[in-house]
Amino acid sequence: MVRDQETLDQLVDMIRQFVEGVLIPHEEVVAETDEIPQEVVQQMRELGLFGLTIPEDYDGLGLTMEEEVYIAFELGRTSPAFRSLIGTNNGIGASGLIIDGTEEQKQYFLPKLASGEIIGSFCLTEPDSGSDAASLKTTAVKDGDEYILNGTKRFITNAPHAGVFTVMARTNPDIKGSGGISAFIVDSKTPGISLGKRDKKMGQKGAHTCDVIFENCRIPASALIGGVEGVGFKTAMKVLDKGRIHIAALSVGAATRMLDDSLQYAVERKQFGQPIANFQLIQGMLADSKAEIYAAKCMVLDAARKRDAGQNVSTEASCAKMFATEMCGRVADRGVQIHGGAGYISEYAIERFYRDVRLFRLYEGTTQIQQVIIARNMIREATQ
C-alpha cells in the first residue's frame, strides 16, 4: 500500500540520487578496504535511512511494505554493503520489537535504531542450527529477575557494529521444538558477550558478519521481547516473512543494475566491426534477463501489497524470495558472459556483483528451504 504517491516519489528520487551520486562512486573504496567510509554512514543517518520502516511514533519514516520495496529496488543498484548496514535496523534487527515488543521496549530502543545511533543485529543461526532454526541450542535460564544466556550464534550480520542484539534462545529445555524458544533484546555491552573474528566471505566486502558468543551473560527479565516466553520462534518467522520480500526486492534492484551495465557494455563493445548488441545470441541473454526481472518485480510488489493488506504471505514471500534471488543469479551469470573476458576482471562491476549476489540465495532461508515452505503450505491447504 502506497499512502501518498507524491511523497513516495520524492523519497525514491532522493535515494536514487544518493545511490548514483554517493554510493556507486564509493563502491570501489568499499571493495578495496572492506569498510564503508564514516562520512557516507553519517550521510545515511542524516537521510533517515536507518529508520525507513520504523514507525513514525518512534522517529522513523514508517514505510509500508510496498513503499519499502520501492526503496529496496533503488538500494539494490549499488554494493550490498550499504543496504546491509541499514538493513538490520529496518528489518530483522528491529522487526521483532515492532511486531511483538512491549511499549517500554519500543520506546527505549526504536528511536535509537531509527536515528542510527545504534545498530541492531538478529541472532538466530548457530553452528549446528541454520535452516533448522527450531533446533537451536542457545539457552536462557531464568534466575530470579534475570536470565542467564549461554550459546554461540554464527554468521550474524552487523554483529561487529551492533549496539543491540535480538537473540533467540531456548527457555524451556523440556520442549524440543520451536515452542521452547523465546526472543530477547540484549545490549551488546552486557558482560559475558564476546565476538569472533570477522568472517572472510566470497563477496559483500564492507558487510560484516561474525560469531556472537554468550557465556553466562546475565540480562534483566525485562529483556524478554513481549514479556512472554515460548513465542520467540513465531516472532522470528514473522520477521523472516518480511525480510524475504525485502531480499527479493533487493535482488530485483541488483539484477537491474547488472543488466544496465551489461546492456551498456554490449552497445559499446565492438567485434567483427559492429556492437556485440547486434548479435542475436547476446540479444537473447539481454531479453531473458529483462523478462525475468519484470516477472520478479511483479511478484515482489504483489507479495508486498498482500502483506500490507494484512494477509498471510508466507507462501508469497517464499515464492518471491526464491524466484527473485535465483533470477538475480542467472542475470549475474549472463552479465559476466556478455562482458566476456572483461567480466572476469575486477575493473568491471559485474565481477563484484557476480560474487556479491550469490549470498541472496542463502540467507533469510535458502532456496531449498523456500521450496519446502511453499510445498508444505500447499499440502496443508489441500488437506484441510
Side-chain angles (χ1 to χ4, degrees):
M1 178 183 65
V2 174
R3 297 166 298 173
D4 182 272
Q5 190 64 55
E6 184 178 354
T7 301
L8 177 62
D9 288 345
Q10 291 174 352
L11 178 61
V12 169
D13 185 61
M14 178 192 73
I15 291 177
R16 181 181 299 124
Q17 291 182 39
F18 182 62
V19 167
E20 293 175 354
V22 177
L23 300 187
I24 290 177
H26 278 91
E27 287 176 348
E28 281 300 317
V29 172
V30 173
E32 291 173 5
T33 66
D34 196 25
E35 300 286 349
I36 301 174
Q38 281 304 305
E39 63 269 21
V40 174
V41 176
Q42 184 56 36
Q43 286 180 270
M44 295 166 79
R45 291 193 185 102
E46 292 168 358
L47 288 174
L49 298 188
F50 284 92
L52 289 169
T53 65
I54 292 174
E56 293 175 279
D57 289 346
Y58 307 102
D59 301 336
L61 295 183
L63 298 186
T64 66
M65 189 76 248
E66 183 177 357
E67 291 167 343
E68 178 185 345
V69 158
Y70 281 109
I71 301 305
F73 289 156
E74 299 300 324
L75 292 174
R77 293 173 52 245
T78 186
S79 169
F82 299 114
R83 195 283 325 174
S84 184
L85 184 65
I86 65 169
T88 46
N89 280 32
N90 288 296
I92 57 178
S95 291
L97 278 180
I98 294 171
I99 294 170
D100 287 331
T102 65
E103 186 58 32
E104 183 180 0
Q105 290 168 340
K106 293 177 183 179
Q107 291 284 355
Y108 183 79
F109 289 106
L110 291 181
K112 294 181 175 65
L113 289 165
S115 68
E117 176 186 340
I118 60 173
I119 302 293
S121 201
F122 186 72
C123 297
L124 176 62
T125 301
E126 298 181 0
D128 296 318
S129 172
S131 297
D132 182 15
S135 69
L136 65 83
K137 297 177 181 177
T138 296
T139 59
V141 178
K142 190 77 180 292
D143 183 30
D145 293 332
E146 296 179 319
Y147 284 90
I148 304 173
L149 279 174
N150 278 287
T152 297
K153 299 295 184 177
R154 178 146 293 173
F155 308 139
I156 305 305
T157 301
N158 284 337
H161 314 291
V164 66
F165 296 111
T166 298
V167 183
M168 300 295 154
R170 190 169 298 282
T171 47
N172 190 337
D174 296 327
I175 302 177
K176 300 303 180 185
S178 62
I181 297 171
S182 302
F184 298 87
I185 187 79
V186 182
D187 189 313
S188 65
K189 296 184 179 62
T190 304
I193 298 177
S194 60
L195 302 179
K197 64 181 181 179
R198 287 186 189 177
D199 299 316
K200 292 183 178 180
K201 303 187 296 296
M202 177 191 296
Q204 300 223 10
K205 294 290 186 181
H208 302 141
T209 64
C210 71
D211 285 2
V212 181
I213 303 104
F214 301 93
E215 296 178 292
N216 295 320
C217 175
R218 287 185 172 271
I219 57 175
S222 60
L224 178 65
I225 292 179
V228 180
E229 288 189 2
V231 296
F233 188 78
K234 293 180 181 178
T235 297
M237 292 306 101
K238 293 176 192 174
V239 168
L240 289 175
D241 272 350
K242 181 177 186 293
R244 284 165 182 161
I245 297 174
H246 179 91
I247 294 300
L250 191 68
S251 299
V252 170
T256 300
R257 164 69 184 281
M258 292 187 290
L259 180 57
D260 288 346
D261 286 359
S262 299
L263 175 60
Q264 189 63 38
Y265 184 85
V267 168
E268 295 175 353
R269 172 67 168 164
K270 288 185 172 60
Q271 287 289 282
F272 305 102
Q274 59 183 309
I276 64 171
N278 289 350
F279 303 142
Q280 288 184 330
L281 293 177
I282 297 294
Q283 291 173 357
M285 289 188 282
L286 292 171
D288 285 350
S289 295
K290 182 70 173 180
E292 289 194 59
I293 292 170
Y294 178 52
K297 188 172 185 178
C298 290
M299 290 177 70
V300 170
L301 286 168
D302 180 67
R305 288 165 183 159
K306 286 180 177 177
R307 186 180 187 277
D308 283 339
Q311 297 182 34
N312 181 339
V313 293
S314 173
T315 298
E316 288 83 353
S318 287
C319 284
K321 200 273 181 181
M322 179 179 72
F323 182 83
T325 57
E326 291 287 337
M327 172 278 296
C328 191
R330 290 191 292 271
V331 171
D333 191 71
R334 294 185 195 117
V336 171
Q337 201 71 11
I338 290 168
H339 279 73
Y344 206 68
I345 304 299
S346 62
E347 179 181 346
Y348 292 87
I350 190 65
E351 182 272 339
R352 184 183 68 250
F353 268 96
Y354 182 82
R355 291 179 288 107
D356 287 348
V357 303
R358 186 60 181 85
L359 186 58
F360 294 166
R361 292 150 64 189
L362 302 177
Y363 61 12
E364 307 274 353
T366 64
T367 293
Q368 287 66 42
I369 288 299
Q370 307 313 317
Q371 291 173 320
V372 169
I373 292 170
I374 295 164
R376 283 180 178 173
N377 288 349
M378 292 170 64
I379 294 166
R380 187 183 301 115
E381 291 172 9
T383 55
Q384 282 180 344

